[in-house]
Amino acid sequence: MNQELAALVRRHVEAENNQNLEATLATLHPECRFEDHATGQVWHGRDGAAAHYRQWWTTFDVTVKREPGQIAAWTDDDGYIGEATWRGHHIGPFLGLAPTKRPVIIPFVVVLGFRDGLMSSEGFHYDLASLLRQIGGEPIQALSGLPYRAAA
C-alpha cells in the first residue's frame, strides 16, 4: 500500500463528508473521470467532478464511512477498491423525484485510480433500485413487500 495515496484517500473522504468542494477537488487530477455505474452518468475533469459532487450534495445529505465488515484493498498497480456506506436523507430532487426527507442507507463499492499523486478516476457501484425504494418509489413491482436493506 502506498502511504501517500492512502493519506490522499483519507483527505478526500474527509473533504467530501464536509462538503468542502475546494478541498475535494484538490485531491483530484485535472483530467479525472467519475463514473456512476448505477445511473450511467460520467463526468470528466475537475469541472465535471464539481458537477458530480454538487448533484449529490444537493440531493442527499450523506456521509461516507466504512462500516464493520466492509473491506478495502490496494491493487498491485496502486489502484484502490473499497466498500463503504452512504447514510443520510433525501433532501433534493433525484432523477426527477422530489425530495422526501426519508433516510437512506446505501452500501457501495468504489474503484479508484491515481495519476501523478492525485485521484484520476472514481467508479461507483451501488444498488439504484434500493436507493429508489428508500426514497419512496418502487421501481421493481415484483419486489414490493419483500424485505430489503432500508434505513431505519
Side-chain angles (χ1 to χ4, degrees), residues 29-113:
H29 191 276
E31 297 173 9
C32 61
R33 174 186 165 97
F34 281 72
E35 188 165 4
D36 181 329
H37 292 276
T39 65
Q41 295 173 296
V42 179
W43 298 268
H44 297 276
R46 286 187 177 145
D47 288 343
H52 161 79
Y53 285 111
R54 284 188 194 104
Q55 172 182 296
W56 282 100
W57 293 344
T58 60
T59 303
F60 299 100
D61 65 347
V62 297
T63 56
V64 173
K65 182 180 176 188
R66 189 172 323 126
E67 297 194 350
Q70 292 182 322
I71 61 171
W74 290 89
T75 64
D76 290 340
D77 61 351
D78 284 333
Y80 178 86
I81 301 168
E83 293 179 298
T85 298
W86 294 321
R87 288 183 177 270
H89 295 85
H90 178 213
I91 60 169
F94 180 67
L95 302 178
L97 298 171
T100 62
K101 310 292 188 219
R102 289 183 177 184
V104 295
I105 299 173
I106 300 296
F108 67 95
V109 172
V110 64
V111 179
L112 304 178

